[in-house]
């Protein structure tokens, strides 16, 4: 098992031709580019957590019926420093690194001081983002790295903090119809305030400034004050509809004072995250036109969630779907000490991922009686008015046991039917992928023995009429490292296999990524 999660993977920077079986659609031309941790041991040092590993980019390129694979480690400053020192010298969220003990005591004391507000890692291992015509590897710190989507080369490092006062940012941005990027980040104790910022990166810059990057024109859309100065909420994604941004402030929080002393105390930043199960989860809705927050206070019970699926507006309500947990066992499960040979039987989630639909009545009868349900859409989700004017929301449960959800992004922010996701039960390992119909609750699966598929990516066909006209792509790793991995292509409608492209390499388990149509793979270097 060590092989699948913990073992270092080799990179393959030169394209390797895959063996194609079945029939790939002729229109499928472009690159599936994905990101995830690939190296967990450097010299004699090991990362504690799977999400700490060094970023390994990999891609499958479809060209006239042929498929080519390549992979390359992100040459981040973090990667370069660690490789040069032959040990882990840059801290990650779950692993605190220390300078060489031989250095003198003054240097050490100084280094303690400089770690209070840490210089975060640029090991951007979570996702890929498109800004303008450029592509970036992203993590959850203030750094992102520009990359060449064809060669997987690492280009310049961008520090969000130069353009907007954020210490951390999500790696799940949204894109509006004009191709602008919308993202959120947290500004920690800046001028005495801790707040969540929503910002926009324009897709293009004015003609006379062509040499400048789109980040120079980044604008803050709005800010939401954190409910607590020293305990901002952790969030991995946010939601969007035609007119609103949805931000969920969950009682899963970073303790800033603990983070400031983590280095001295010899603990990781991850140990400064705490979940309070007796607290509330608050919903914030920002009007995209006025840039103001809706004044009514909506909340639900404590939960931990990472992924928004989709959201839309209907008859004065905001409907949003997320995958939520009742505790924080998900992060803890991926400590490498838990992912040993027999972990599939040993390591169990104590909370199953649950797909929840909240229905929030933005326009409700202000004279409604206390304790009455304000939801008028046909749903078992409720929103109950309380004495103090707050509105307590409870979800409809759509299904259980899915994670890493994707949709047809053309339906993002709109009423939709289908979720494509990995199927996980009580273990962190996805053994199947699923297509879930949110309206009929029907679920289709694809799975094969000893196969671990990754997050499924939907690619619409060029002449698509319906939401599920297209294909679903997923990278599949085999349990036995001697069996070669493959890229699977499913018909999105029937969820049956069209074909697969097998490569004789040891592929890593990845996290997120995107499909880049051939015409968009123009790179900044051309």
């Amino acid at each position: 098992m060590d092989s699948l999660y913990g073992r270092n993977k080799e990179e393959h920077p030169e394209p390797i031709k895959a063996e194609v079986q079945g029939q790939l659609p002729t229109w499928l031309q472009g690159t599936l580019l994905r990101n995830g941790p690939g190296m967990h041991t450097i010299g004699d040092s090991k990362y504690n957590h799977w999400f700490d590993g060094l970023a390994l980019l990999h891609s499958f390129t479809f060209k006239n019926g042929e498929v080519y694979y390549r992979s390359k480690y992100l040459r981040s400053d973090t990667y370069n420093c660690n490789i040069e020192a032959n040990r882990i010298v840059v801290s990650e969220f779950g692993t605190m690194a220390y300078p060489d003990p031989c250095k003198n005591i003054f240097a050490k004391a100084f280094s303690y001081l400089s770690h209070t507000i840490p210089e975060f890692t640029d090991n951007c291992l979570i996702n890929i983002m498109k800004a303008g015509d450029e592509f970036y590897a992203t993590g959850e710190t203030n750094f992102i790295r520009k990359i060449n989507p064809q060669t997987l080369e690492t280009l310049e490092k961008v520090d969000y903090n130069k353009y907007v006062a954020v210490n951390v940012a999500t790696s799940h941005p949204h894109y509006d119809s004009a191709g602008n990027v919308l993202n959120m980040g947290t500004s920690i104790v800046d001028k005495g305030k801790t707040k969540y910022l929503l910002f926009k990166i324009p897709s293009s810059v004015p003609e006379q400034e062509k040499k400048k990057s789109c980040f120079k024109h980044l604008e803050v859309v709005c800010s939401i004050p954190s409910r607590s100065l020293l305990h901002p909420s952790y969030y991995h994604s946010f939601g969007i509809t035609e007119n609103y941004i949805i931000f969920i402030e969950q009682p899963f929080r970073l303790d800033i004072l603990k983070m400031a002393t983590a280095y001295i105390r010899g603990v990781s930043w991850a140990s400064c995250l705490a979940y309070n199960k007796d607290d509330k989860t608050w919903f914030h809705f920002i009007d995209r036109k006025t840039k103001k927050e809706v004044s009514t206070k909506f909340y639900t019970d404590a939960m931990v969630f990472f992924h928004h699926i989709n959201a839309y507006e209907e008859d004065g309500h905001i409907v949003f779907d997320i995958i939520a947990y009742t505790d924080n066992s998900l992060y803890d499960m991926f400590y490498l000490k838990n992912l040993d040979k027999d972990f599939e039987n040993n390591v169990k989630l104590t909370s199953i991922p649950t797909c929840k639909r909240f229905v929030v009545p933005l326009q409700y009868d202000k004279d409604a009686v206390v304790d009455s349900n304000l939801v008028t859409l046909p749903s078992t989700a409720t929103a109950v008015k309380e004495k103090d004017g707050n509105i307590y929301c409870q979800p409809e449960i759509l299904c259980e046991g899915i994670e890493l959800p994707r949709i047809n992004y053309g339906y993002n922010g709109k009423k939709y039917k289908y979720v494509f996701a990995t199927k996980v039960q009580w273990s962190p390992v996805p053994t199947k992928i699923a297509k879930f119909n949110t309206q009929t609750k029907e679920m289709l699966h694809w799975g094969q023995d000893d196969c671990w598929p990754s997050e499924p990516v939907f690619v619409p066909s060029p002449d698509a009429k319906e939401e599920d006209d297209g294909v679903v792509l997923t990278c599949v790793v085999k349990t036995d490292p001697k069996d070669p991995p493959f890229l699977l292509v499913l018909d999105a409608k029937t969820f049956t296999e069209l074909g697969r492209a097998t490569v004789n390499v040891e592929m890593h388990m990845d996290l997120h990524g995107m499909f880049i149509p051939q015409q968009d793979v123009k790179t900044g270097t051309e």
Side-chain angles (χ1 to χ4, degrees):
M1 171 50 219
D2 180 45
S3 64
L4 281 176
Y5 276 109
R7 197 159 82 216
N8 291 353
K9 303 297 185 286
E10 265 180 60
E11 62 178 8
H12 301 278
E14 295 305 317
I16 295 172
K17 191 173 174 184
E19 187 189 324
V20 177
Q21 288 163 288
Q23 222 31 65
L24 305 183
T26 50
W27 57 262
L28 187 61
Q29 306 273 337
T31 296
L32 176 70
L33 174 57
R34 306 208 25 99
N35 199 350
M39 189 187 299
H40 290 89
T41 306
I42 302 158
D44 295 333
S45 58
K46 270 190 167 63
Y47 286 114
N48 296 329
H49 200 281
W50 186 62
F51 297 159
D52 291 342
L54 292 174
L56 179 55
L57 301 163
H58 65 162
S59 66
F60 284 92
T61 298
F62 300 84
K63 202 167 179 180
N64 308 330
E66 295 181 337
V67 181
Y68 295 89
Y69 176 81
R70 50 171 31 146
S71 64
K72 196 168 169 67
Y73 278 100
L74 184 74
R75 296 306 198 266
S76 58
D77 295 355
T78 296
Y79 175 95
N80 293 332
C81 291
N82 286 345
I83 297 298
E84 194 183 337
N86 195 31
R87 63 188 199 92
I88 296 164
V89 290
V90 182
S91 298
E92 297 292 333
F93 195 63
T95 308
M96 190 62 85
Y98 290 91
D100 194 333
C102 319
K103 292 229 175 89
N104 71 45
I105 193 78
F106 294 110
K108 229 170 171 175
F110 179 73
S111 145
Y112 275 139
L113 292 171
S114 64
H115 267 74
T116 344
I117 291 291
E119 165 79 10
F120 280 135
T121 177
D122 67 338
N123 175 32
C124 307
L125 78 151
I126 299 178
N127 207 349
I128 306 293
M129 173 176 92
K130 181 175 197 265
D133 294 331
E134 325 269 28
F135 293 87
Y136 295 84
T138 65
E140 294 192 312
T141 71
N142 51 306
F143 294 116
I144 57 176
R145 286 302 302 227
K146 187 167 147 185
I147 54 171
N148 178 321
Q150 276 175 313
T151 62
L152 309 186
E153 239 178 313
T154 304
L155 305 168
E156 61 263 29
K157 169 167 153 175
V158 173
D159 180 356
Y160 275 138
N161 214 313
K162 287 201 168 69
Y163 310 101
V164 55
V166 295
N167 307 84
V168 292
T170 91
S171 54
H172 286 287
H174 282 282
Y175 304 91
D176 66 16
S177 51
N180 302 307
V181 178
L182 286 163
N183 201 3
M184 288 194 68
T186 305
S187 177
I188 299 172
V189 200
D190 176 50
K191 303 187 179 65
K193 290 190 173 60
T194 294
K195 47 191 185 286
Y196 312 108
L197 300 178
L198 173 71
F199 58 91
K200 178 167 132 181
I201 305 163
S203 58
S204 59
V205 297
E207 203 44 58
Q208 64 274 24
E209 301 190 29
K210 269 288 171 266
K211 290 280 173 281
K212 282 193 178 163
S213 85
C214 48
F215 295 96
K216 292 247 185 341
H217 293 268
L218 181 149
E219 58 170 296
V220 173
V221 177
C222 86
S223 79
I224 301 164
S226 166
R227 293 186 70 83
S228 156
L229 177 70
L230 295 173
H231 297 87
S233 182
Y234 169 80
Y235 52 101
H236 185 78
S237 62
F238 62 100
I240 191 169
T241 68
E242 197 185 335
N243 298 295
Y244 294 94
I245 300 286
I246 301 160
F247 173 65
I248 300 179
E249 196 172 8
Q250 56 186 350
F252 183 35
R253 302 192 186 92
L254 282 167
D255 184 320
I256 301 307
L257 292 179
K258 277 191 174 164
M259 277 186 84
T261 58
Y263 185 82
I264 298 170
R265 291 182 296 121
V267 299
S268 72
W269 291 314
S271 69
C272 310
L273 252 187
Y275 173 57
N276 184 348
K277 65 181 189 330
D278 304 316
D279 224 329
K280 296 180 170 77
T281 299
W282 295 90
F283 299 155
H284 301 270
F285 302 101
I286 291 97
D287 185 316
R288 291 175 63 181
K289 291 192 185 65
T290 66
K291 303 179 166 57
K292 297 273 185 288
E293 192 180 338
V294 172
S295 58
T296 312
K297 296 274 179 274
F298 299 94
Y299 74 94
T300 187
D301 300 318
M303 63 179 181
V304 171
F305 90 103
F306 299 91
H307 295 115
H308 274 268
I309 303 172
N310 200 3
Y312 59 90
E313 295 160 45
E314 189 174 3
D315 294 339
H317 298 70
I318 286 183
V319 179
F320 66 88
D321 300 339
I322 63 172
I323 292 173
Y325 299 81
T326 53
D327 64 27
N328 176 32
S329 60
L330 182 78
Y331 184 84
D332 293 341
M333 189 140 73
F334 283 93
Y335 278 104
L336 287 168
K337 64 175 189 295
N338 296 334
L339 300 175
D340 57 3
K341 283 183 288 299
D342 203 27
F343 88 107
E344 267 192 278
N345 306 321
N346 299 345
V347 181
K348 293 282 178 257
L349 279 164
T350 47
S351 157
I352 197 163
T354 306
C355 180
K356 295 182 172 184
R357 165 164 290 178
F358 287 92
V359 180
V360 178
L362 281 195
Q363 291 150 23
Y364 62 91
D365 175 5
K366 299 294 183 262
D367 303 325
V369 293
V370 168
D371 291 337
S372 61
N373 176 22
L374 306 173
V375 175
T376 55
L377 294 182
S379 169
T380 53
T382 58
V384 173
K385 182 177 169 180
E386 297 186 325
K387 282 200 294 293
D388 54 11
N390 288 352
I391 294 173
Y392 171 51
C393 304
Q394 278 183 298
E396 171 184 347
I397 305 296
L398 296 180
C399 69
E400 288 187 325
I402 63 170
E403 240 312 350
L404 301 175
R406 295 292 289 250
I407 58 168
N408 174 341
Y409 201 77
Y411 287 74
N412 190 44
K414 304 183 175 96
K415 193 164 182 178
Y416 77 116
K417 269 196 208 135
Y418 302 111
V419 184
F420 304 98
T422 53
K423 190 92 180 98
V424 282
Q425 221 43 37
W426 293 99
S427 141
V429 181
T431 49
K432 290 184 174 137
I433 52 171
K435 173 190 183 183
F436 176 66
N437 183 325
T438 58
Q439 289 168 15
T440 63
K441 312 286 192 283
E442 179 195 13
M443 200 176 292
L444 300 176
H445 294 119
W446 178 90
Q448 270 180 8
D449 288 351
D450 306 323
C451 285
W452 290 9
S454 68
E455 168 195 61
V457 174
F458 174 83
V459 184
S461 58
D463 50 359
K465 306 263 182 301
E466 293 179 356
E467 187 182 338
D468 57 353
D469 285 341
V471 295
V472 167
L473 308 177
T474 179
C475 303
V476 181
V477 172
K478 302 293 289 268
T479 347
D480 184 344
K482 286 193 282 296
D483 292 341
F486 57 93
L487 176 79
L488 177 72
V489 183
L490 298 179
D491 177 330
K493 222 177 213 15
T494 58
F495 227 55
T496 51
E497 179 171 342
L498 293 172
R500 58 177 67 181
T502 305
V503 274
N504 206 355
V505 299
E506 200 187 339
M507 200 160 74
H508 63 312
M509 307 268 300
D510 60 19
L511 288 167
H512 297 293
M514 62 163 59
F515 181 78
I516 309 170
Q518 194 170 10
Q519 62 273 19
D520 294 352
V521 188
K522 300 188 299 294
T523 60
T525 52
E526 280 179 20

